[in-house]
Amino acid sequence: MAEKRLRSLGERLSKDPETHEKYKAGIQDLLDKGYAEIVPEDKAHAGMEFYLSHFNVKSQAKPSKFKIVFHASKMFGSTPLNKKVLQGPNLTKL
């Protein structure tokens, strides 16, 4: 019988303590590096914020690899957020 699909990241993490710890460490790393910030309580619902959903992915080839992915293809109004992201230089050498 197929396992019921968990609907939220919180539910998935509550079922897997090891992944939960890695996820917390990954988020803390983003905070420490200044890539993310904690929204102060008094600003949390001011109407000017947008929360980008995120989830984790694991490599099938390397199960120890773990990364947090942000879902910027989500629509905001009629525009996907990826269309508003500034593109940096192409660092791939062909």
Side-chain angles (χ1 to χ4, degrees), residues 4 7 9-10 12 14 16 20 26 32 36 39-40 45-47 54 60-61 63 70 72 75 78 80-81 83 85:
K4 179 182 171 186
R7 287 183 251 182
L9 175 62
R12 286 195 315 271
S14 71
D16 186 350
H20 189 197
D32 292 345
V39 178
H45 300 287
H54 48 86
Q60 296 288 8
F70 292 88
M75 300 294 277
S78 61
L81 294 173
K83 293 285 185 187
V85 175

PDB file of all heavy atoms in Angstrom, residues 4 7 9-10 12 14 16 20 26 32 36 39-40 45-47 54 60-61 63 70 72 75 78 80-81 83 85:
ATOM      1  N   LYS A   4       0.788   7.534   2.361  1.00  0.00           N
ATOM      2  CA  LYS A   4       0.072   8.791   2.132  1.00  0.00           C
ATOM      3  C   LYS A   4       1.094   9.909   1.974  1.00  0.00           C
ATOM      4  O   LYS A   4       2.017  10.034   2.765  1.00  0.00           O
ATOM      5  CB  LYS A   4      -0.859   9.078   3.307  1.00  0.00           C
ATOM      6  CG  LYS A   4      -1.636  10.370   3.166  1.00  0.00           C
ATOM      7  CD  LYS A   4      -2.486  10.606   4.389  1.00  0.00           C
ATOM      8  CE  LYS A   4      -3.085  11.987   4.333  1.00  0.00           C
ATOM      9  NZ  LYS A   4      -3.797  12.329   5.551  1.00  0.00           N
ATOM     10  N   ARG A   7       1.702  16.587   3.148  1.00  0.00           N
ATOM     11  CA  ARG A   7       1.362  17.824   2.451  1.00  0.00           C
ATOM     12  C   ARG A   7       2.294  18.982   2.718  1.00  0.00           C
ATOM     13  O   ARG A   7       2.400  19.878   1.915  1.00  0.00           O
ATOM     14  CB  ARG A   7      -0.054  18.242   2.814  1.00  0.00           C
ATOM     15  CG  ARG A   7      -1.083  17.361   2.173  1.00  0.00           C
ATOM     16  CD  ARG A   7      -2.425  17.850   2.509  1.00  0.00           C
ATOM     17  NE  ARG A   7      -2.993  16.887   3.438  1.00  0.00           N
ATOM     18  CZ  ARG A   7      -4.186  16.964   3.932  1.00  0.00           C
ATOM     19  NH1 ARG A   7      -4.961  17.964   3.635  1.00  0.00           N
ATOM     20  NH2 ARG A   7      -4.635  16.052   4.738  1.00  0.00           N
ATOM     21  N   LEU A   9       6.060  20.755   4.335  1.00  0.00           N
ATOM     22  CA  LEU A   9       7.448  20.548   4.732  1.00  0.00           C
ATOM     23  C   LEU A   9       7.526  20.219   6.216  1.00  0.00           C
ATOM     24  O   LEU A   9       8.251  19.318   6.628  1.00  0.00           O
ATOM     25  CB  LEU A   9       8.265  21.802   4.415  1.00  0.00           C
ATOM     26  CG  LEU A   9       9.717  21.813   4.861  1.00  0.00           C
ATOM     27  CD1 LEU A   9      10.487  20.699   4.169  1.00  0.00           C
ATOM     28  CD2 LEU A   9      10.348  23.157   4.584  1.00  0.00           C
ATOM     29  N   GLY A  10       6.735  20.914   7.016  1.00  0.00           N
ATOM     30  CA  GLY A  10       6.732  20.664   8.457  1.00  0.00           C
ATOM     31  C   GLY A  10       6.355  19.236   8.795  1.00  0.00           C
ATOM     32  O   GLY A  10       6.966  18.613   9.670  1.00  0.00           O
ATOM     33  N   ARG A  12       6.727  16.603   6.811  1.00  0.00           N
ATOM     34  CA  ARG A  12       7.813  15.723   6.382  1.00  0.00           C
ATOM     35  C   ARG A  12       8.969  15.771   7.370  1.00  0.00           C
ATOM     36  O   ARG A  12       9.545  14.743   7.720  1.00  0.00           O
ATOM     37  CB  ARG A  12       8.294  16.113   4.988  1.00  0.00           C
ATOM     38  CG  ARG A  12       7.330  15.715   3.896  1.00  0.00           C
ATOM     39  CD  ARG A  12       7.948  15.764   2.518  1.00  0.00           C
ATOM     40  NE  ARG A  12       8.728  16.942   2.223  1.00  0.00           N
ATOM     41  CZ  ARG A  12       8.248  18.063   1.702  1.00  0.00           C
ATOM     42  NH1 ARG A  12       6.979  18.167   1.422  1.00  0.00           N
ATOM     43  NH2 ARG A  12       9.043  19.070   1.450  1.00  0.00           N
ATOM     44  N   SER A  14       8.890  16.550  10.523  1.00  0.00           N
ATOM     45  CA  SER A  14       8.527  15.953  11.815  1.00  0.00           C
ATOM     46  C   SER A  14       8.647  14.427  11.777  1.00  0.00           C
ATOM     47  O   SER A  14       8.816  13.793  12.805  1.00  0.00           O
ATOM     48  CB  SER A  14       7.117  16.370  12.234  1.00  0.00           C
ATOM     49  OG  SER A  14       6.148  15.741  11.419  1.00  0.00           O
ATOM     50  N   ASP A  16      11.076  12.866  10.080  1.00  0.00           N
ATOM     51  CA  ASP A  16      12.469  12.515   9.804  1.00  0.00           C
ATOM     52  C   ASP A  16      13.409  13.448  10.573  1.00  0.00           C
ATOM     53  O   ASP A  16      13.848  14.476  10.056  1.00  0.00           O
ATOM     54  CB  ASP A  16      12.719  12.623   8.296  1.00  0.00           C
ATOM     55  CG  ASP A  16      14.088  12.145   7.872  1.00  0.00           C
ATOM     56  OD1 ASP A  16      14.953  11.898   8.743  1.00  0.00           O
ATOM     57  OD2 ASP A  16      14.300  12.026   6.654  1.00  0.00           O
ATOM     58  N   HIS A  20      15.416  16.904   9.512  1.00  0.00           N
ATOM     59  CA  HIS A  20      15.011  18.124  10.203  1.00  0.00           C
ATOM     60  C   HIS A  20      16.235  18.872  10.724  1.00  0.00           C
ATOM     61  O   HIS A  20      16.348  20.092  10.577  1.00  0.00           O
ATOM     62  CB  HIS A  20      14.052  17.787  11.338  1.00  0.00           C
ATOM     63  CG  HIS A  20      13.423  18.980  11.961  1.00  0.00           C
ATOM     64  ND1 HIS A  20      12.821  18.935  13.184  1.00  0.00           N
ATOM     65  CD2 HIS A  20      13.300  20.268  11.558  1.00  0.00           C
ATOM     66  CE1 HIS A  20      12.364  20.131  13.500  1.00  0.00           C
ATOM     67  NE2 HIS A  20      12.639  20.952  12.530  1.00  0.00           N
ATOM     68  N   GLY A  26      20.886  24.128   7.581  1.00  0.00           N
ATOM     69  CA  GLY A  26      20.929  24.808   6.287  1.00  0.00           C
ATOM     70  C   GLY A  26      20.321  26.196   6.355  1.00  0.00           C
ATOM     71  O   GLY A  26      20.871  27.158   5.812  1.00  0.00           O
ATOM     72  N   ASP A  32      23.276  33.067   8.747  1.00  0.00           N
ATOM     73  CA  ASP A  32      24.634  33.471   9.121  1.00  0.00           C
ATOM     74  C   ASP A  32      25.353  34.190   7.979  1.00  0.00           C
ATOM     75  O   ASP A  32      26.110  35.134   8.213  1.00  0.00           O
ATOM     76  CB  ASP A  32      25.461  32.258   9.554  1.00  0.00           C
ATOM     77  CG  ASP A  32      24.986  31.640  10.855  1.00  0.00           C
ATOM     78  OD1 ASP A  32      24.204  32.289  11.591  1.00  0.00           O
ATOM     79  OD2 ASP A  32      25.377  30.483  11.125  1.00  0.00           O
ATOM     80  N   ALA A  36      19.551  35.339   4.042  1.00  0.00           N
ATOM     81  CA  ALA A  36      18.172  35.364   4.526  1.00  0.00           C
ATOM     82  C   ALA A  36      18.160  36.160   5.820  1.00  0.00           C
ATOM     83  O   ALA A  36      19.205  36.378   6.440  1.00  0.00           O
ATOM     84  CB  ALA A  36      17.668  33.944   4.772  1.00  0.00           C
ATOM     85  N   VAL A  39      12.241  37.933   9.848  1.00  0.00           N
ATOM     86  CA  VAL A  39      11.350  39.093   9.795  1.00  0.00           C
ATOM     87  C   VAL A  39      10.893  39.403  11.217  1.00  0.00           C
ATOM     88  O   VAL A  39      10.357  38.536  11.898  1.00  0.00           O
ATOM     89  CB  VAL A  39      10.125  38.800   8.901  1.00  0.00           C
ATOM     90  CG1 VAL A  39       9.174  39.981   8.880  1.00  0.00           C
ATOM     91  CG2 VAL A  39      10.576  38.434   7.498  1.00  0.00           C
ATOM     92  N   PRO A  40      11.122  40.634  11.700  1.00  0.00           N
ATOM     93  CA  PRO A  40      10.681  40.997  13.048  1.00  0.00           C
ATOM     94  C   PRO A  40       9.162  40.865  13.180  1.00  0.00           C
ATOM     95  O   PRO A  40       8.431  41.090  12.207  1.00  0.00           O
ATOM     96  CB  PRO A  40      11.105  42.462  13.200  1.00  0.00           C
ATOM     97  CG  PRO A  40      12.106  42.701  12.131  1.00  0.00           C
ATOM     98  CD  PRO A  40      11.800  41.753  11.028  1.00  0.00           C
ATOM     99  N   HIS A  45       3.436  41.032   9.228  1.00  0.00           N
ATOM    100  CA  HIS A  45       2.206  41.051   8.439  1.00  0.00           C
ATOM    101  C   HIS A  45       1.862  42.462   8.000  1.00  0.00           C
ATOM    102  O   HIS A  45       0.719  42.874   8.029  1.00  0.00           O
ATOM    103  CB  HIS A  45       1.058  40.435   9.240  1.00  0.00           C
ATOM    104  CG  HIS A  45       1.340  39.015   9.620  1.00  0.00           C
ATOM    105  ND1 HIS A  45       1.318  37.987   8.711  1.00  0.00           N
ATOM    106  CD2 HIS A  45       1.694  38.459  10.795  1.00  0.00           C
ATOM    107  CE1 HIS A  45       1.624  36.861   9.325  1.00  0.00           C
ATOM    108  NE2 HIS A  45       1.866  37.117  10.584  1.00  0.00           N
ATOM    109  N   ALA A  46       2.874  43.183   7.524  1.00  0.00           N
ATOM    110  CA  ALA A  46       2.672  44.573   7.118  1.00  0.00           C
ATOM    111  C   ALA A  46       2.075  44.684   5.717  1.00  0.00           C
ATOM    112  O   ALA A  46       1.729  45.756   5.281  1.00  0.00           O
ATOM    113  CB  ALA A  46       3.992  45.330   7.179  1.00  0.00           C
ATOM    114  N   GLY A  47       1.984  43.558   5.004  1.00  0.00           N
ATOM    115  CA  GLY A  47       1.403  43.572   3.670  1.00  0.00           C
ATOM    116  C   GLY A  47       2.399  43.834   2.557  1.00  0.00           C
ATOM    117  O   GLY A  47       2.052  43.799   1.395  1.00  0.00           O
ATOM    118  N   HIS A  54      10.030  26.953   0.093  1.00  0.00           N
ATOM    119  CA  HIS A  54      11.279  26.218  -0.068  1.00  0.00           C
ATOM    120  C   HIS A  54      11.078  24.776   0.349  1.00  0.00           C
ATOM    121  O   HIS A  54      10.112  24.427   1.020  1.00  0.00           O
ATOM    122  CB  HIS A  54      12.416  26.865   0.728  1.00  0.00           C
ATOM    123  CG  HIS A  54      12.059  27.197   2.139  1.00  0.00           C
ATOM    124  ND1 HIS A  54      12.167  26.301   3.169  1.00  0.00           N
ATOM    125  CD2 HIS A  54      11.581  28.342   2.684  1.00  0.00           C
ATOM    126  CE1 HIS A  54      11.780  26.875   4.293  1.00  0.00           C
ATOM    127  NE2 HIS A  54      11.419  28.125   4.020  1.00  0.00           N
ATOM    128  N   GLN A  60      20.036  11.188  -5.332  1.00  0.00           N
ATOM    129  CA  GLN A  60      19.931   9.724  -5.303  1.00  0.00           C
ATOM    130  C   GLN A  60      21.324   9.096  -5.345  1.00  0.00           C
ATOM    131  O   GLN A  60      21.584   8.098  -4.693  1.00  0.00           O
ATOM    132  CB  GLN A  60      19.095   9.220  -6.493  1.00  0.00           C
ATOM    133  CG  GLN A  60      17.659   9.663  -6.470  1.00  0.00           C
ATOM    134  CD  GLN A  60      16.842   8.949  -5.394  1.00  0.00           C
ATOM    135  OE1 GLN A  60      17.351   8.228  -4.551  1.00  0.00           O
ATOM    136  NE2 GLN A  60      15.547   9.182  -5.434  1.00  0.00           N
ATOM    137  N   ALA A  61      22.214   9.714  -6.127  1.00  0.00           N
ATOM    138  CA  ALA A  61      23.563   9.177  -6.267  1.00  0.00           C
ATOM    139  C   ALA A  61      24.399   9.391  -5.013  1.00  0.00           C
ATOM    140  O   ALA A  61      25.249   8.571  -4.688  1.00  0.00           O
ATOM    141  CB  ALA A  61      24.252   9.823  -7.466  1.00  0.00           C
ATOM    142  N   PRO A  63      23.439  10.194  -1.287  1.00  0.00           N
ATOM    143  CA  PRO A  63      22.426  10.445  -0.253  1.00  0.00           C
ATOM    144  C   PRO A  63      22.859  11.415   0.835  1.00  0.00           C
ATOM    145  O   PRO A  63      22.029  12.038   1.482  1.00  0.00           O
ATOM    146  CB  PRO A  63      22.166   9.054   0.333  1.00  0.00           C
ATOM    147  CG  PRO A  63      22.642   8.102  -0.698  1.00  0.00           C
ATOM    148  CD  PRO A  63      23.743   8.791  -1.438  1.00  0.00           C
ATOM    149  N   PHE A  70      14.676  26.996  -3.300  1.00  0.00           N
ATOM    150  CA  PHE A  70      13.597  27.980  -3.216  1.00  0.00           C
ATOM    151  C   PHE A  70      12.753  27.904  -4.474  1.00  0.00           C
ATOM    152  O   PHE A  70      13.280  27.814  -5.580  1.00  0.00           O
ATOM    153  CB  PHE A  70      14.172  29.382  -3.002  1.00  0.00           C
ATOM    154  CG  PHE A  70      14.793  29.520  -1.658  1.00  0.00           C
ATOM    155  CD1 PHE A  70      16.118  29.197  -1.456  1.00  0.00           C
ATOM    156  CD2 PHE A  70      14.032  29.925  -0.575  1.00  0.00           C
ATOM    157  CE1 PHE A  70      16.690  29.292  -0.205  1.00  0.00           C
ATOM    158  CE2 PHE A  70      14.593  30.021   0.682  1.00  0.00           C
ATOM    159  CZ  PHE A  70      15.925  29.708   0.865  1.00  0.00           C
ATOM    160  N   ALA A  72      11.053  29.658  -6.784  1.00  0.00           N
ATOM    161  CA  ALA A  72      10.840  30.977  -7.373  1.00  0.00           C
ATOM    162  C   ALA A  72      10.045  30.929  -8.670  1.00  0.00           C
ATOM    163  O   ALA A  72       9.814  31.957  -9.287  1.00  0.00           O
ATOM    164  CB  ALA A  72      12.169  31.675  -7.603  1.00  0.00           C
ATOM    165  N   MET A  75       3.940  31.808  -8.986  1.00  0.00           N
ATOM    166  CA  MET A  75       3.381  33.026  -9.578  1.00  0.00           C
ATOM    167  C   MET A  75       3.063  34.052  -8.497  1.00  0.00           C
ATOM    168  O   MET A  75       2.578  33.711  -7.424  1.00  0.00           O
ATOM    169  CB  MET A  75       2.111  32.693 -10.349  1.00  0.00           C
ATOM    170  CG  MET A  75       2.309  31.706 -11.477  1.00  0.00           C
ATOM    171  SD  MET A  75       3.321  32.340 -12.803  1.00  0.00           S
ATOM    172  CE  MET A  75       2.111  33.249 -13.716  1.00  0.00           C
ATOM    173  N   SER A  78       0.336  37.643 -12.036  1.00  0.00           N
ATOM    174  CA  SER A  78       0.454  36.905 -13.298  1.00  0.00           C
ATOM    175  C   SER A  78       1.914  36.738 -13.727  1.00  0.00           C
ATOM    176  O   SER A  78       2.189  36.382 -14.855  1.00  0.00           O
ATOM    177  CB  SER A  78      -0.330  37.638 -14.392  1.00  0.00           C
ATOM    178  OG  SER A  78       0.211  38.931 -14.578  1.00  0.00           O
ATOM    179  N   PRO A  80       5.758  35.015 -12.886  1.00  0.00           N
ATOM    180  CA  PRO A  80       6.576  34.115 -12.063  1.00  0.00           C
ATOM    181  C   PRO A  80       7.728  34.914 -11.451  1.00  0.00           C
ATOM    182  O   PRO A  80       8.293  35.804 -12.087  1.00  0.00           O
ATOM    183  CB  PRO A  80       7.085  33.070 -13.048  1.00  0.00           C
ATOM    184  CG  PRO A  80       6.969  33.693 -14.382  1.00  0.00           C
ATOM    185  CD  PRO A  80       5.891  34.733 -14.301  1.00  0.00           C
ATOM    186  N   LEU A  81       8.054  34.625 -10.207  1.00  0.00           N
ATOM    187  CA  LEU A  81       9.105  35.369  -9.512  1.00  0.00           C
ATOM    188  C   LEU A  81      10.456  35.275 -10.224  1.00  0.00           C
ATOM    189  O   LEU A  81      11.243  36.197 -10.175  1.00  0.00           O
ATOM    190  CB  LEU A  81       9.228  34.889  -8.074  1.00  0.00           C
ATOM    191  CG  LEU A  81       8.006  35.199  -7.216  1.00  0.00           C
ATOM    192  CD1 LEU A  81       8.152  34.545  -5.859  1.00  0.00           C
ATOM    193  CD2 LEU A  81       7.797  36.681  -7.068  1.00  0.00           C
ATOM    194  N   LYS A  83      11.102  35.676 -13.181  1.00  0.00           N
ATOM    195  CA  LYS A  83      11.204  36.750 -14.179  1.00  0.00           C
ATOM    196  C   LYS A  83      11.690  38.056 -13.557  1.00  0.00           C
ATOM    197  O   LYS A  83      12.146  38.945 -14.253  1.00  0.00           O
ATOM    198  CB  LYS A  83       9.848  36.997 -14.845  1.00  0.00           C
ATOM    199  CG  LYS A  83       9.381  35.860 -15.698  1.00  0.00           C
ATOM    200  CD  LYS A  83      10.157  35.828 -16.984  1.00  0.00           C
ATOM    201  CE  LYS A  83       9.583  34.754 -17.879  1.00  0.00           C
ATOM    202  NZ  LYS A  83      10.345  34.530 -19.060  1.00  0.00           N
ATOM    203  N   VAL A  85      13.951  38.122 -10.899  1.00  0.00           N
ATOM    204  CA  VAL A  85      15.264  37.912 -10.290  1.00  0.00           C
ATOM    205  C   VAL A  85      16.334  38.470 -11.216  1.00  0.00           C
ATOM    206  O   VAL A  85      16.326  38.218 -12.416  1.00  0.00           O
ATOM    207  CB  VAL A  85      15.498  36.398 -10.029  1.00  0.00           C
ATOM    208  CG1 VAL A  85      16.903  36.146  -9.506  1.00  0.00           C
ATOM    209  CG2 VAL A  85      14.483  35.867  -9.057  1.00  0.00           C
TER     210      VAL A  85
END
